[in-house]
Amino acid sequence: MSAEFEFVPYPFQSRSYDASLPALAQGRDPVRRPVVVVGGGPVGYCTALGLANHGVPVVVLEADDSVCFGSRAICISRRSLEIVERLGALPGFLQEGLPWTGGRSFYRDQEVLHFLMPQDANQKLPPMVNLAQYSIEQFLLNACEARSDLIEIRWQNKLVGVDSRDDGAQLQVSTPKGDYAMDADWVVAADGGRSFLREALGLKLQGTSYEGRYVIVDIQMESSRPTERLAYFDPDCNRGSTVLVHKQPNNVWRIDYQLQDGEDPDAAILPENVMPRVRSLLAMMGETAPWNPIWTGIYKANALTLPNYRHQRVLFAGDAAHLVPIFGVRGANSGIDDADNLAWKLAHVVKGLAGEGLVDSYSAERVAAAHENLSYGTKSTEFMAPPSFAFELMRKAVLSLAIQHPELASLINPRQTSAITYGQSPLNAAQDDNALFAAGPVTGAPLAECPVQWIKPGTPGVQAGYITDAAQPRFTVLAFAPHGTVMQALQGVASGLHAKGVAAQVLPVQMAALQEHGDLETLVDADCKLAALYGAMPGAVYVLRPDGHVLGRWQGGRHEADDLAASIHTAIGHALA
């Protein structure tokens, strides 16, 4: 191969970590750990950070000596960014990541779709940022290292055995410095698509694996082209196939292209076969700058999930629990959502504040979420990489007609990942007023974003902020213009929970008629924009779970103060039962 195409390294310097070996007693870690997370990566680190936010110590076993290498997840959604912010790792994501709001699709040489994701003046964060997984992991790792009081990361610690029991698990760990055993009350399996824990426990993913394969090529090239998702159907550079292109930070470009039927996958990723296709694609795009390859790989689409994410005291998350097609960027994002859902529930169970049924609700909610993600992912896969002649014929018809009939263009776009609503969650308040709200996030939904102002004790003046800032590692009661007796009753609920060790806070929302709430942290909604968005009349109450999803909502003026407080106390108590 000519020097023009010499491979260059990623513009990222990873740190290498020595093997970790704890102080042992007769070949065993003498301390029984409340939680052991198997596998770093985005899901493992997010789980550890979430547990630390609730004061739970955690050990992370990472088999490698650094963050990941190669081209993996690259698109992080707004919902994931909200979660990452709560975990204390957001600045790096926004400083390095490339935000984007939409994309374009082409059929041969004609544009057939220009889609835009939801983005308006209410939003604090972009709908999507492109950021390579090695950077994602590094920023999360940095946050973990800043929480070394509660998070211990053991590098080059490979799990080689597990004895799962109803009251915990015994783990066998191998390191270059020696092997050892350790005991854990709970184990989180975040060890990826080839999960050792899943295999060792004899668990099988269920669903569909598609035969079509895609080649991944990362290249380095300077270009002023804007950041957006590009999809090329049946292009001149790869007839009968599909090509996806994403711009990443530091002049890295991710190219995915579909192999033709009958192509040998092993031969397809040889440089002499990859580089001519990339050269042809760039020429078609009008990119003339010099470029060099960085990395090549191959994958196929899977739409698979475990039927249950709990096995005794082992809890599965991320790719260990489900494998989602890349179309719609649901892989890493669904895993981060898993971690966010799991961490607060597991923390409450570990601290003795909730029964084990709470971690069962993790499985119920996230299995349902996986099926929703798989449904959209499957539809996208069948369009992007048709599994049969009939699907291929349908795709050709849609693409051909979309040029003259723009109303068909929506069929081309793989729906991008979006926040999941747990509409059938066993935790949802059964006796709330959800049906009486004309607007706002329904019970089970995450918060809808809106700018607000904050009054914080000890801080002069009114501070600018957003309603998602209210999502903290606690139960939060948003009380819209509450009367004094309602405020007193809600404060009584929070005090009762605090007495039991459950974190809770009442956040009054001042509407047009400003009210004084003493030394309480308060939200200000002087123009009633938030109230309108949330369908909240004076006296309305939203109760948020620690992951920012709505546990229940009650409309103002329908309840006596004590009855409203009792309903909220019952809803939170039910969630922790």
Side-chain angles (χ1 to χ4, degrees):
M1 187 170 59
S2 69
E4 179 188 2
F5 295 121
E6 288 183 358
F7 278 75
V8 298
Y10 281 106
F12 173 81
Q13 295 295 319
S14 63
R15 300 199 301 261
S16 182
Y17 294 83
D18 291 335
S20 309
L21 189 66
L24 303 177
Q26 298 179 336
R28 176 180 293 276
D29 183 340
V31 181
R32 183 182 176 98
R33 307 292 172 168
V35 182
V36 172
V37 174
V38 181
V43 178
Y45 295 142
C46 283
T47 303
L49 287 166
L51 289 164
N53 274 353
H54 287 274
V56 174
V58 56
V59 172
V60 179
L61 303 180
E62 172 53 57
D64 292 331
D65 67 350
S66 69
V67 299
C68 76
F69 174 78
S71 193
R72 301 187 186 183
I74 59 169
C75 301
I76 298 298
S77 70
R78 176 184 287 135
R79 174 61 181 166
S80 292
L81 293 173
E82 292 173 356
I83 294 168
V84 167
E85 182 176 27
R86 281 191 269 120
L87 299 178
L90 182 64
F93 282 71
L94 296 184
Q95 290 166 9
E96 184 172 319
L98 299 180
W100 56 281
T101 59
R104 300 176 189 274
S105 295
F106 300 84
Y107 178 48
R108 296 181 177 169
D109 59 351
Q110 296 192 59
E111 183 175 313
V112 292
L113 170 70
H114 180 203
F115 74 88
L116 294 173
M117 292 178 287
Q119 178 71 355
D120 54 45
N122 283 342
Q123 302 306 318
K124 176 182 184 180
L125 298 165
M128 202 78 69
V129 297
N130 282 355
L131 186 65
Q133 185 165 325
Y134 46 74
S135 292
I136 294 169
E137 291 188 13
Q138 188 64 62
F139 294 137
L140 292 170
L141 174 58
N142 294 345
C144 286
E145 291 178 334
R147 299 302 309 272
S148 59
D149 57 324
L150 289 169
I151 301 174
E152 178 188 354
I153 300 176
R154 296 182 182 174
W155 294 96
Q156 300 186 55
N157 275 233
K158 182 179 181 181
L159 186 66
V160 295
V162 58
D163 179 12
S164 177
R165 305 166 185 171
D166 290 336
D167 61 350
Q170 182 180 98
L171 307 176
Q172 300 295 327
V173 185
S174 179
T175 85
K177 295 181 177 179
D179 301 344
Y180 66 95
M182 67 184 304
D183 294 299
D185 292 332
W186 293 90
V187 177
V188 177
D191 52 344
R194 299 178 180 177
S195 169
F196 169 82
L197 276 164
R198 192 179 64 225
E199 185 71 22
L201 296 175
L203 305 177
K204 301 295 183 183
L205 295 170
Q206 300 176 2
T208 303
S209 289
Y210 293 91
E211 292 303 319
R213 293 180 181 270
Y214 271 75
V215 171
I216 306 170
V217 188
D218 276 3
I219 66 170
Q220 191 166 42
M221 176 185 68
E222 291 190 19
S223 172
S224 59
R225 186 182 291 268
T227 305
E228 56 186 355
R229 192 223 67 182
L230 300 173
Y232 298 93
F233 296 95
D234 196 23
D236 290 340
C237 65
N238 202 14
R239 280 295 188 198
S241 180
T242 306
V243 182
L244 301 176
V245 181
H246 278 281
K247 183 179 183 179
Q248 300 182 63
N250 302 312
N251 296 318
V252 175
W253 292 76
R254 161 86 170 259
I255 299 167
D256 303 68
Y257 62 82
Q258 182 186 4
L259 293 183
Q260 305 284 358
D261 291 342
E263 281 193 81
D264 180 359
D266 294 329
I269 59 172
L270 295 175
E272 57 266 30
N273 293 323
V274 172
M275 301 314 154
R277 277 179 161 165
V278 174
R279 186 194 297 115
S280 179
L281 167 67
L282 296 177
M284 183 192 75
M285 294 172 60
E287 295 289 350
T288 59
W291 60 276
N292 287 95
I294 303 175
W295 188 85
T296 62
I298 196 165
Y299 68 87
K300 68 176 182 177
N302 293 295
L304 305 167
T305 182
L306 289 173
N308 192 316
Y309 295 168
R310 179 184 178 187
H311 180 85
Q312 295 174 308
R313 290 291 186 89
V314 179
L315 301 162
F316 290 83
D319 285 355
H322 46 73
L323 294 175
V324 185
I326 67 160
F327 310 113
V329 296
R330 291 176 173 82
N333 290 302
S334 63
I336 292 172
D337 227 346
D338 288 346
D340 187 47
N341 188 298
L342 174 58
W344 75 270
K345 295 176 178 179
L346 183 54
H348 280 76
V349 173
V350 167
K351 294 165 74 172
L353 303 175
E356 292 188 18
L358 188 57
V359 291
D360 290 328
S361 78
Y362 158 71
S363 179
E365 290 180 350
R366 294 309 298 163
V367 168
H371 283 293
E372 182 173 333
N373 282 322
L374 292 175
S375 173
Y376 287 116
T378 296
K379 292 176 183 177
S380 298
T381 300
E382 290 170 348
F383 191 89
M384 303 295 285
S388 68
F389 174 76
F391 280 103
E392 186 175 353
L393 191 63
M394 182 272 292
R395 184 177 80 165
K396 180 178 284 190
V398 170
L399 290 168
S400 300
L401 291 171
I403 298 171
Q404 299 298 326
H405 300 277
E407 64 272 15
L408 295 176
S410 62
L411 298 174
I412 300 170
N413 180 33
R415 176 181 165 182
Q416 308 302 309
T417 184
S418 59
I420 295 290
T421 294
Y422 305 130
Q424 302 301 316
S425 170
L427 304 189
N428 290 348
Q431 302 298 323
D432 70 349
D433 294 340
N434 188 54
L436 299 181
F437 282 77
V442 300
T443 302
L447 290 177
E449 188 63 287
C450 184
V452 293
Q453 293 179 307
W454 294 70
I455 299 175
K456 297 187 178 182
T459 302
V462 178
Q463 310 298 314
Y466 287 83
I467 189 61
T468 53
D469 297 333
Q472 298 294 328
R474 67 190 181 212
F475 288 92
T476 302
V477 180
L478 292 177
F480 288 80
H483 296 296
T485 54
V486 171
M487 237 349 251
Q488 185 176 6
L490 296 179
Q491 286 287 77
V493 173
S495 297
L497 291 169
H498 276 297
K500 297 178 181 179
V502 178
Q505 181 175 355
V506 179
L507 275 178
V509 181
Q510 293 185 357
M511 295 168 67
L514 299 184
Q515 304 172 34
E516 294 294 332
H517 297 293
D519 295 331
L520 289 180
E521 186 174 346
T522 303
L523 304 185
V524 179
D525 183 35
D527 59 2
C528 292
K529 184 177 182 179
L530 178 66
L533 181 65
Y534 277 52
M537 296 185 293
V541 171
Y542 277 76
V543 179
L544 311 180
R545 306 173 354 171
D547 57 5
H549 284 259
V550 176
L551 178 65
R553 55 182 184 164
W554 289 261
Q555 196 55 274
R558 297 190 68 252
H559 308 273
E560 296 293 333
D562 290 341
D563 291 340
L564 176 61
S567 296
I568 293 170
H569 192 276
T570 298
I572 295 175
H574 170 72
L576 297 177

